[in-house]
Amino acid sequence: MRDDDRQALWQDAKEQMLVETQSWPYNFPLSKDFPHADQRGTVSGRLMVQDKYVSREFIPARSAYVGLAPPGELGSWQRDTQGYQFWNQTDDEGNFLIRGVRAGNYNLYAWVDGVIGDYKYETDMQITPGSEIRLGDLVYHPPRNGPTLWEIGIPDRSAAEFFVPEPDPKLKTRLSHSNSDKFRQYGLWTRYTDLYPYQDLVYTIGSSNYQTDWFFAHVARRANDTYEPTTWQIIFDLGNIDYTANYTLRIALASANGAHVKVWMNRDPNTTRRLFSTNLIGRENSIARHGIHGLYWLYSVDIPASHLQSGRNTMFLQMSSMPSPFNGVMYDYLRLEGPPGRS
């Protein structure tokens, strides 16, 4: 087949996809279990974001994902496998329209690219046949205790912005065609051991670059026929410490598989008690399956000022798990916040 023919077929398929999308829900199914368009409802509104440490103005949640899913907690829609879900994206002004919703009881959820956390509209949504619910303006206040002291990555629920290594030449496939999907290669987890055979990753705020210096997956190191925990370091400087308040560490994970993430601050991980631990988390196999994200996890860690010091500080992030090359986490975004009101 000629390249021109392939392009014509691909263009035709995309045009037909738009036709079918606009035609759904179809009216030709005769099953009583498939409600027709006039038996379904719609929900519309506008989603805004307000983070006073970014802007005191309401910012339109551009290209946010807004959806209806069975009632639950924040982010519960990720794990639901029993109910119906209906999603759409907002436009540049944050407006959304979710149509074709089956009658039932739902919660409205959302997440915004570039903003940590999940949004949930607190009132249950009761959809009836033919109903049109207009919610007006909704405001998402993302998790925030104080100003950003430093951050690593982009809060987009993906590890794609971090360093993805070149694959072992013996394992390289033709699946990856551009830098945007370099992660679609077999065996990339083994490259951590190749790049850090004896010492683990050290990232220095202000001089390191997360695109080149932060490995896309925090995995174990291969040591002969076993795998050992790895401990990454984040080095950063602080000015005067406010010893009357707590600081906050936000850890957003793009994926986890049978892993513990443990945190120490200016303490020896080998001899002192950890400041925080996620406990055992994750059952998605994104690392082994050439993915770049799985389920989203967000942790907020209170850091007493007594754990910090003026000048140079070192945070330790240890990934410990069962001895396997596939256990580990992919970070989405990390942020250290100062006390409220601190500039």
Side-chain angles (χ1 to χ4, degrees), residues 37 85 121 141 161 272 289 317:
Q85 298 194 25
Y121 185 63
H141 299 278
E161 70 268 28
T272 59
R289 297 294 181 183
L317 297 172

Side-chain angles (χ1 to χ4, degrees), residues 97-123:
L97 171 64
I98 306 172
R99 64 184 188 91
V101 184
R102 294 176 63 105
N105 190 35
Y106 301 88
N107 280 157
L108 184 139
Y109 304 93
W111 65 272
V112 186
D113 193 15
V115 180
I116 66 170
D118 285 274
Y119 172 81
K120 175 188 172 185
Y121 185 63
E122 290 304 323
T123 303

Side-chain angles (χ1 to χ4, degrees), residues 174-201:
R174 299 182 63 184
L175 288 174
S176 177
H177 298 286
S178 67
N179 286 333
S180 64
D181 64 356
K182 284 183 62 178
F183 57 87
R184 298 181 63 199
Q185 292 287 342
Y186 181 80
L188 291 181
W189 59 86
T190 66
R191 300 289 285 125
Y192 180 80
T193 302
D194 296 336
L195 294 169
Y196 301 94
Y198 308 109
Q199 302 294 325
D200 284 318
L201 183 150

Side-chain angles (χ1 to χ4, degrees), residues 274-290:
R274 60 185 177 269
L275 176 66
F276 170 80
S277 174
T278 63
N279 297 318
L280 184 66
I281 56 171
R283 297 184 64 185
E284 64 262 28
N285 212 12
S286 302
I287 295 172
R289 297 294 181 183
H290 324 148

